[in-house]
Amino acid sequence: MVFRKLPGVSASGMGLRLSQKFVFLLFLSGLVTLCFGALFFLPDSVRLKRIFLSKTENDVKEHLKRPVKEQEHSRAMVSAKADRLKSVNRKPAVTQAVEATEERLVGGKAQEELTVSRSESASVRSVDTFTYNKFKSCLIKNPLGSDSGKAADPKTNERREKVKEMMKFSWDNYKRYAWGKNELRPLTKNGHIGNMFGKCGLRGASIIDSLDTLYIMGLMDEYNDAKEWVQTSLDLNSNGEASLFEVNIRYVGGLLSAYYLTGEELFKNKVLELGEKLLPAFNTPTGIPRGVINLGSGTSWSWGWASAGSSILAEFGTLHLEFVHLTELSNSPIYTEKVMNIRKLLNKIEKPHGLYPNFLSPVSGNWVQHHVSIGGLGDSFYEYLIKSYLMSDKKDEDAKKMYYGALEAIEANLVQKSPGGLTYMAEWRGGILDHKMGHLACFSGGMIGIGADDGAPEKRQHYLDLAAEITHTCHESYTPTKLGPEAFRFDGGAEATATRLSDRYYILRPEVIESYMYMWRLTHDPKYREWGWEAVEALEQHCKVESGFSGIRDVYTTMVSHDNMQQSFFLSETLKYLYLLFSDDDLLSLEDWVFNTEAHPLPIIRKNCLQDQGSPQDNTASE
Ligand code: DMJ
């Protein structure tokens, strides 16, 4: 049989002309696209969607698989959010387009690889819903101690009363002149809003930051006013832009502590509502959150000043404690997943000399610059490693390993001894040391102190000594007003002295006093209480003005010039650490509590006890 050659059909291949082949291919590719696209519309193609959809969408779905009550709340949130998304988008369109392209180029793969797997996340899910009474029964001590932590000797007790009086004075003036604003301007007697907590967003930072301090000091009328403000006026539905870090440490931390101390459901409801609003900041290719978030629209972006759109180590590394507690209270694993994902990435990437640089790209997941600092930009990342370990009832081995690894690298590369014999932490810029220490870095005395006991046995005494030496150096920087500069140097003959005019200010920061408090609890060396008292007197002498406390512009002159700002961390941290320094150790015992970086106490999570179904026998805490 002879096949006849059809007109228009070539003799090559299947006998199709080039143009026909092209049409056929076009048809075929159309068909493939159609089938692929259908996957996204078919009902319940969950497995396939999990493969093809980005992690973010999966997260939202998982998140919504929660108890009905929570889902109702979520639905309201989602629809409110959708409405707001339509109307609000404050981010410049160009930035968004560039970022969207960057993210597509890098792809969702990075995040898929780095995100905690479902089986891992199952292990972070609470067995049952959080119950406050059960939590209380798992504490070793009464949070307020016996006799509210009142010290036995009259002199210490007098000093404690003085600190309480300072708190009342700061609070009363804030209430009188700045109620509902973020901070008090004590000279001009008005309120300050600032943009750290939201340009047109969150308010009342001093109120949230003060709740726990007022409560532990027994200033109950003031605490009740603060609580009432949270009830009636804390508006979480604003469209303001805010620092994820600041909102987390002050508002999330403050509300969590208030809840754990008082058991008031109001605080729990508020903090869970706020926590949910922070989640969109993590929607980046790596899951590393960006620094700024619009709480209304959920849009997030990096700080304009941060190197090449990067995220800051001390910001994305200072979420762990609060987010683990959000999971604890909400019974939703999503918060823990978000912070575990950050940790996973940090573990995976290479670290120069074992150090963690301060800037990381949330798009590529790579370091952007090799600047390492235990002060600003780096500080509380290290703090949260050791505190994560302690807060997990010493179960979080990963955090422990990271902390001691980082500390070893810090000792090998950053810790220095000055010609005058002072131990300090220099900053590291790509291998070159900058012999400067910031006031912020002075928290590290306390940090190294609380971590000393869990280090390798042969290192424990060494860590305690190092903690004491750093604290001593920071005390040395407090002169002659007995208040310390923002940064001090150890070069050109300087010994813990600010050599630049621009470093001479003191803004009521707590870090040095924070280290005194921890070192007192760890050693009971009376010098720490004496140093704390020096600070109280200096605050009274130089920072107290008619209507509150103010920072000063130059710690080297007793003819002080005030900066007209009563920072909210003065009420939350500086005064709280002073009060604890002059109290018995059982007030917010370190056996039960870790302090977040804004000094808000968060309880150690004793899983064994919390999940124990039996009724508690030995309820020392609630006595
Ligand atoms: C506080 O808000 C926190 O301690 C933060 O970690 C660093 N800076 C201020 C106080 O100085």
Side-chain angles (χ1 to χ4, degrees), residues 200-378:
C200 11
L202 291 180
R203 294 285 182 269
S206 291
I207 300 177
I208 308 295
D209 252 356
S210 296
L211 281 163
D212 50 14
T213 313
L214 295 169
Y215 187 79
I216 63 161
M217 290 183 176
L219 291 166
M220 294 316 284
D221 289 346
E222 292 76 3
Y223 161 77
N224 282 324
D225 288 344
K227 186 178 92 179
E228 195 188 320
W229 184 87
V230 174
Q231 173 91 63
T232 57
S233 311
L234 175 59
D235 179 12
L236 301 176
N237 289 316
S238 58
N239 275 322
E241 55 194 60
S243 155
L244 172 67
F245 163 78
E246 297 291 356
V247 170
N248 179 58
I249 66 170
R250 300 187 202 219
Y251 286 81
V252 177
L255 291 166
L256 281 171
S257 289
Y259 174 64
Y260 282 118
L261 286 173
T262 67
E264 295 278 0
E265 288 292 307
L266 158 72
F267 299 130
K268 178 172 147 189
N269 295 337
K270 285 284 182 192
V271 80
L272 293 182
E273 193 183 338
L274 179 57
E276 194 152 351
K277 284 173 181 291
L278 301 180
L279 290 174
F282 296 79
N283 293 344
T284 64
T286 56
I288 296 288
R290 292 198 166 90
V292 196
I293 181 166
N294 183 306
L295 293 170
S297 66
T299 319
S300 70
W301 59 98
S302 301
W303 292 109
W305 51 265
S307 189
S310 51
S311 297
I312 316 291
L313 181 69
E315 296 199 335
F316 65 78
T318 308
L319 302 166
H320 205 101
L321 304 180
E322 296 81 1
F323 274 53
V324 165
H325 271 293
L326 286 174
T327 283
E328 201 53 27
L329 294 186
S330 67
N331 205 27
S332 163
I334 195 162
Y335 302 101
T336 301
E337 284 178 4
K338 295 293 180 197
V339 287
M340 290 305 265
N341 190 45
I342 297 173
R343 187 189 281 179
K344 207 167 175 181
L345 184 141
L346 290 175
N347 265 325
K348 196 172 164 179
I349 57 176
E350 204 171 308
K351 287 159 278 290
H353 300 268
L355 295 165
Y356 292 81
N358 291 336
F359 297 101
L360 185 89
S361 162
V363 175
S364 69
N366 293 322
W367 304 116
V368 174
Q369 272 184 10
H370 281 184
H371 173 216
V372 178
S373 148
I374 309 308
L377 304 175

Side-chain angles (χ1 to χ4, degrees), residues 445-446 448-452 464 467 517-525 585 590:
I448 296 169
I450 53 169
L464 201 58
M517 190 282 288
Y518 283 115
M519 292 312 291
W520 161 257
R521 288 229 174 154
L522 295 167
T523 66
H524 287 158
D525 184 333
D585 295 359
L590 296 180

Side-chain angles (χ1 to χ4, degrees), residues 15 57 70 147 164 176 217 271 286 334 432 570 617:
E57 284 164 87
E70 285 175 47
D147 204 8
K164 182 171 167 179
R176 180 155 180 208
M217 290 183 176
V271 80
T286 56
I334 195 162
I432 303 197
F570 180 64
Q617 298 290 307

Side-chain angles (χ1 to χ4, degrees), residues 478-484 538 541-542 552 554-558 560:
Y478 268 45
T479 182
T481 46
K482 302 288 181 199
L483 295 169
Q541 191 183 342
H542 305 298
I552 58 174
D554 186 349
V555 293
Y556 295 110
T557 169
T558 43
V560 291

Side-chain angles (χ1 to χ4, degrees), residues 394-561:
K394 305 196 178 179
K395 301 283 187 297
D396 187 347
E397 287 294 327
D398 206 26
K400 179 182 184 184
K401 199 165 147 228
M402 285 173 82
Y403 171 73
Y404 290 104
L407 187 54
E408 213 168 284
I410 288 168
E411 277 212 81
N413 295 283
L414 271 59
V415 174
Q416 302 287 304
K417 191 75 104 183
S418 75
L422 296 177
T423 304
Y424 64 98
M425 304 258 194
E427 299 199 359
W428 191 89
R429 296 174 194 277
I432 303 197
L433 287 184
D434 187 2
H435 295 272
K436 155 192 164 192
M437 190 165 167
H439 192 288
L440 289 166
C442 286
F443 86 97
S444 62
M447 174 187 77
I448 296 169
I450 53 169
D453 235 16
D454 294 294
E458 70 281 8
K459 288 261 184 114
R460 289 179 189 166
Q461 188 56 48
H462 163 73
Y463 285 144
L464 201 58
D465 294 343
L466 179 61
E469 284 172 32
I470 300 270
T471 308
H472 169 71
T473 300
C474 291
H475 175 252
E476 285 294 295
S477 78
Y478 268 45
T479 182
T481 46
K482 302 288 181 199
L483 295 169
E486 181 67 3
F488 43 93
R489 307 194 65 91
F490 299 88
D491 45 14
E495 288 278 338
T497 312
T499 53
R500 298 174 188 173
L501 267 179
S502 57
D503 286 337
R504 291 176 163 206
Y505 63 91
Y506 172 68
I507 55 169
L508 306 175
R509 284 199 192 279
E511 291 76 15
V512 176
I513 291 164
E514 172 180 350
S515 285
Y516 297 164
M517 190 282 288
Y518 283 115
M519 292 312 291
W520 161 257
R521 288 229 174 154
L522 295 167
T523 66
H524 287 158
D525 184 333
K527 78 178 174 202
Y528 295 114
R529 277 187 167 167
E530 290 311 313
W531 291 354
W533 184 244
E534 267 174 29
V536 168
E537 291 186 315
L539 286 164
E540 283 281 296
Q541 191 183 342
H542 305 298
C543 300
K544 190 173 182 181
V545 293
E546 193 193 319
S547 305
F549 282 87
S550 163
I552 58 174
R553 295 209 168 87
D554 186 349
V555 293
Y556 295 110
T557 169
T558 43
M559 302 286 289
V560 291
S561 157

Side-chain angles (χ1 to χ4, degrees), residues 167-178:
M167 178 69 189
K168 183 157 167 47
F169 179 73
S170 311
W171 174 262
D172 286 348
N173 280 293
Y174 165 77
K175 190 176 170 206
R176 180 155 180 208
Y177 298 113

